[in-house]
Amino acid sequence: MSVRLGVFGVALAGVLAISVTPATAAPDSGSAAQALPAGTVVEPAIDCRPSSARPRPVLVLPGADGTTSETASQWEVVVSALRRQGACTLVFQGGVVDGRRWAGDMTGAARQLADFVAKVKDTTGAPRVDIVAHSAGSVVANYFVKVLGGTQDVHDMVLLTPEARGCDGAGFLAQYGIKDLPVTPVQVLEALPFLAPALAALSPEMASALQLSPVSAFYRTLMDGPIAQPGVSYAVMATKNDQVATPPGTCSFITEPGVANVFYEDVFPGSPAVDHSSLRSSPDTAGWIVAQLYR
């Protein structure tokens, strides 16, 4: 996710630095979203079967950090830990554009996930699956469950540094050395309604990133009302060192009944430091994920 919103951040920084005048014919945000491709999928062969001890397949959804060619190395620790427990573990990547995950239309990506879940259930005979998702992958997973009717298909949702409510966008600008602005990127977008469609018109990459801002229809559909759905178990882990999903915790925690929210540093005091991306490569995190799924 940081790569996509980094582009948005640079563009927005330029807007903050100059006087902006509304474009007379800027496209509306709905038109920009409709113009986005869904992207392709990278899905694994469904060549494993659940066991009586581990009856639900585990779908791993990486975030948008890195490219599809880096996925195997990024997720080796978590995937190996799950498979050692006998879990039928499948890594799914959707919305792929030029090797980047979740870089197309987010609603389309959620539908791709829905199709894959149906295929996994049909192939394995499992009535439900578990989902482990990171960052932007968590957004797609939450949309699938809440909006596309995935509640009946999912038992556990384990989310690492997800983007939920309360994100200010400042972390994305900070990656480019832009700090201590008087207002946050989200405040700017909310105060200047014309800005989001104007930025979206500049490139598909910015249009995709803007779907994760509070001014988008996609965001409102997901974030208005409860995110967590009845019948699904939720566990969220954030890190206090997150410089992407900011403010740490505030951006990631789903503060709703039935959701377990924890900081990595509180669960594993004294362990090696992690950040937004490296949280998903920590052996400690892998052990915590296993514990959430099989408690």
Side-chain angles (χ1 to χ4, degrees):
M1 180 175 180
S2 59
V3 175
R4 295 195 295 121
L5 286 185
V7 174
F8 156 67
V10 170
L12 183 56
V15 173
L16 289 170
I18 62 175
S19 174
V20 180
T21 302
T24 56
D28 61 54
S29 58
S31 298
Q34 292 169 5
L36 285 172
T40 60
V41 300
V42 177
E43 61 181 61
I46 306 172
D47 55 2
C48 55
R49 295 293 182 271
S51 65
S52 57
R54 304 287 182 256
R56 297 183 301 275
V58 179
L59 275 56
V60 174
L61 277 59
D65 57 330
T67 63
T68 54
S69 64
E70 299 170 305
T71 303
S73 60
Q74 290 176 338
W75 285 89
E76 180 180 6
V77 173
V78 167
V79 170
S80 296
L82 289 166
R83 288 177 176 163
R84 283 196 299 270
Q85 292 293 321
C88 175
T89 306
L90 304 164
V91 179
F92 176 80
Q93 303 168 86
V96 177
V97 178
D98 296 330
R100 297 175 290 111
R101 317 175 196 101
W102 321 120
D105 176 56
M106 296 295 277
T107 302
R111 293 194 182 105
Q112 292 170 341
L113 173 60
D115 291 342
F116 185 66
V117 169
K119 186 183 299 186
V120 170
K121 290 174 58 182
D122 183 62
T123 303
T124 65
R128 301 175 84 180
V129 302
D130 294 331
I131 291 179
V132 175
H134 174 234
S135 194
S138 301
V139 178
V140 173
N142 281 326
Y143 194 92
F144 161 61
V145 171
K146 175 180 176 176
V147 182
L148 300 184
T151 303
Q152 62 185 358
D153 300 315
V154 178
H155 187 279
D156 282 295
M157 292 268 281
V158 181
L159 310 178
L160 306 178
T161 59
E163 282 77 18
R165 305 182 188 93
C167 304
D168 61 14
F172 303 111
L173 294 185
Q175 295 176 89
Y176 296 87
I178 305 167
K179 302 178 181 180
D180 302 323
L181 294 172
V183 293
T184 69
V186 166
Q187 289 173 325
V188 173
L189 290 172
E190 292 176 331
L192 304 175
F194 65 86
L195 183 55
L199 288 172
L202 294 178
S203 78
E205 189 169 350
M206 269 188 261
S208 177
L210 283 162
Q211 293 176 98
L212 305 184
S213 72
V215 299
S216 79
F218 174 88
Y219 179 99
R220 293 191 299 270
T221 300
L222 175 58
M223 302 300 181
D224 288 354
I227 298 173
Q229 298 300 295
V232 180
S233 177
Y234 292 79
V236 174
M237 176 173 277
T239 169
K240 296 177 182 179
N241 297 322
D242 201 326
Q243 297 183 3
V244 176
T246 56
T250 301
C251 179
S252 293
F253 288 162
I254 302 173
T255 53
E256 299 175 9
V259 181
N261 296 290
V262 299
F263 275 119
Y264 170 91
E265 291 79 11
D266 293 338
V267 178
F268 303 110
S271 290
V274 297
D275 59 19
H276 180 84
S277 290
S278 62
L279 175 67
R280 48 104 170 100
S281 301
S282 164
D284 290 327
T285 302
W288 178 81
I289 291 171
V290 169
Q292 303 313 301
L293 295 177
Y294 306 126
R295 60 182 183 273

